[in-house]
Amino acid sequence: QSALAQPASVSGSPGQSITISCTVTSSDVGIYNFVSWYQHHPGKAPKLLIFEVTQRPSGVSNRFSGSKSGNTASLTISGLQAEDEAEYYCSSYAGRSVFLTFGGGTKVTVL
Amino acid sequence: EVQLLESGGGLEQPGGSLRLSCSGSGFPFSSYVLTWVRQAPGKGLEWVSGMTGSGDDKYYADSVKGRFTISRDNSKNTLNLQMNSLRADDTAVYYCARLRLRGYGMDVWGQGTTVTVSS
C-alpha cells in the first residue's frame, strides 16, 4: 500500500484542464513539502514536471502546475493536448528511513 | 549534455545475481544524490535505492533491503547496484536517476535497463 494515493485514471478533451490528486496517507510523508510529479510515456524515461509541490523545472511547459491543500497535492494540466496522454506519478521525500516513495500512478487519457 | 546511461541488465535465474551500472556525464557527478527506480511489467514506478554524492548515506526500499547493495565510484562517474538473491518480482526496467540539488525531484533519468528473473 503506497503512502501516496492517486486515482487510477483521469480523462479530458483537448483544450480542457484536468487535475490529478495525490493524497498523503502516511504521517511519515505528510510533514514534508517535497512532492514531485513525473510524466511517463511507455518506453521512455520519466520526466520531471514539478518539484517542491509547485516548482517547475526550466523547459517544462507552464501548462503544468502543482499545488497542495492539506494532505493532498495536485497536478493540473491546462489546455490538454494529445501528447499529454501518459502515466503521471507523484513522489515525495519520506524521511531518512524510507527516503523516497511514489504514488501508484494515474493514466491520463485525452478523449 | 547531461546524461545517465545504464548497463548490465539481462536474464538471470531466481536466486542469482546481477550488477547494474549507471554512467554519468556532463555534470559534477560527485555532487549529486543518485537513485535507482524500477518499473515491473504492468506496474507503476517503484523507488529502489539511493546514495548521497559522498557515498556516506545509502537508502533502500524494504523490498530490496538485505539483497541489493548500492555503491558509486566518483572517480569513474559510475553508480552501481549489486542485486543478489534475485526473485521473479525483481523483473523490471531499472532506471538510474539524478536528484536535483534542491527539492528531491529526479531531474535526469537514464533510458533504463531490463532485468528479467526467470528459470
Side-chain angles (χ1 to χ4, degrees):
Chain A
Q1 190 79 4
S2 174
L4 302 173
Q6 298 182 235
S9 63
V10 172
S11 62
S13 299
Q16 285 186 330
S17 292
I18 61 170
T19 296
I20 303 167
S21 61
C22 174
T23 301
V24 178
T25 60
S26 165
S27 58
D28 288 340
V29 175
I31 62 175
Y32 302 106
N33 279 319
F34 292 130
V35 176
S36 301
W37 288 92
Y38 301 88
Q39 178 190 61
H40 192 199
H41 287 105
K44 295 194 172 184
K47 177 183 178 181
L48 177 66
L49 298 176
I50 298 289
F51 66 97
E52 286 185 351
V53 180
T54 62
Q55 303 303 301
R56 198 169 44 243
S58 61
V60 172
S61 171
N62 59 9
R63 297 188 300 107
F64 297 95
S65 62
S67 62
K68 185 179 179 186
S69 177
N71 67 338
T72 298
S74 298
L75 174 72
T76 297
I77 308 175
S78 305
L80 199 61
Q81 300 177 359
E83 67 207 49
D84 299 331
E85 190 160 290
E87 196 82 20
Y88 291 81
Y89 295 89
C90 62
S91 175
S92 179
Y93 175 70
R96 290 181 62 84
S97 61
V98 179
F99 196 62
L100 287 174
T101 188
F102 281 98
T106 298
K107 171 65 177 173
V108 167
T109 301
V110 181
L111 302 172
Chain B
E1 181 188 1
V2 175
Q3 200 169 17
L4 294 170
L5 185 64
E6 304 94 338
S7 60
L11 174 65
E12 183 57 63
Q13 294 186 343
S17 298
L18 275 176
R19 184 178 178 86
L20 305 184
S21 293
C22 172
S23 176
S25 59
F27 65 97
F29 191 82
S30 63
S31 296
Y32 286 84
V33 174
L34 296 173
T35 70
W36 290 97
V37 174
R38 68 184 180 184
Q39 183 177 37
K43 303 290 186 181
L45 297 177
E46 178 189 16
W47 174 78
V48 173
S49 182
M51 190 169 188
T52 54
S54 65
D56 288 345
D57 295 305
K58 305 176 183 182
Y59 307 94
Y60 299 95
D62 285 344
S63 58
V64 306
K65 206 170 289 183
R67 300 186 300 121
F68 291 10
T69 302
I70 192 171
S71 63
R72 65 192 294 164
D73 184 342
N74 288 337
S75 68
K76 296 181 180 178
N77 285 8
T78 300
L79 177 76
N80 303 301
L81 186 69
Q82 179 66 41
M83 304 187 297
N84 297 332
S85 302
L86 283 165
R87 310 186 307 218
D89 62 0
D90 294 319
T91 295
V93 176
Y94 284 74
Y95 296 98
C96 170
R98 184 187 85 170
L99 257 66
R100 287 178 54 89
L101 289 174
R102 190 193 97 188
Y104 293 95
M106 288 171 272
D107 64 346
V108 179
W109 293 70
Q111 87 292 345
T113 187
T114 300
V115 171
T116 303
V117 183
S118 175
S119 54

